[in-house]
Amino acid sequence: MSSSIDNKYVIFKLNKEYYGIPIDMVISIERMQKSTRIPNAPKYVKGVINLRGEVVSLIDLRQKLGMELTEVNNNSRIIVVSHDDIFAGLIVDSSSEVMEIHNDSIDNAPNTNENDNLSYIHGIGKTDDRLIILLELSKILEH
């Protein structure tokens, strides 16, 4: 694949912090829509939606990452992602932009055994004005 997209990330917000997912894993960004609950699904799975004929599971990323829950509002978005033939919609507070972050501007995730949620972090991207938490999508989509 072209190297021009290797360092590009879709940036979104959760709990006033910036997060990023590699753009080559993002299918689309959608407005919130009504979902259908799935019985006995994990709490972070908010249901499924019919997106242009495809059934997509919705994951509340706040809940998956152990954050305080908030109500969905007009800024909330669904980022539809794909990894290893798994399609899912990640519910986020807002989605803002696509940003290029070079590998030399990405530090390793903090290393501690005390927080299981750190396994969801691929690294920390540094830009001129902010830090961006880069997520490990394969871990987010496990189970």
Side-chain angles (χ1 to χ4, degrees), residues 81-101:
V81 296
S82 171
H83 179 71
D84 287 344
D85 295 328
I86 298 173
F87 289 86
L90 306 176
I91 300 172
V92 301
D93 293 353
S94 66
S95 179
S96 58
E97 62 193 304
V98 173
M99 181 178 285
E100 189 167 351
I101 303 173

Side-chain angles (χ1 to χ4, degrees), residues 8-10 12 14 19-28 44 57 59-61 64-65 78-92 117-123 133-143:
K8 291 189 177 177
Y9 295 86
V10 172
F12 58 93
L14 284 175
Y19 290 80
I21 296 173
I23 195 169
D24 60 342
M25 296 179 177
V26 175
I27 306 298
S28 65
Y44 58 84
S57 299
I59 295 173
D60 186 329
L61 206 46
K64 180 79 176 182
L65 297 176
I78 300 169
I79 300 178
V80 181
V81 296
S82 171
H83 179 71
D84 287 344
D85 295 328
I86 298 173
F87 289 86
L90 306 176
I91 300 172
V92 301
N117 290 335
L118 291 176
S119 67
Y120 299 135
I121 300 174
H122 169 73
I133 300 167
L134 303 175
L135 295 178
E136 183 64 54
L137 199 54
S138 63
K139 296 286 187 186
I140 298 288
L141 297 179
E142 281 183 346
H143 305 293

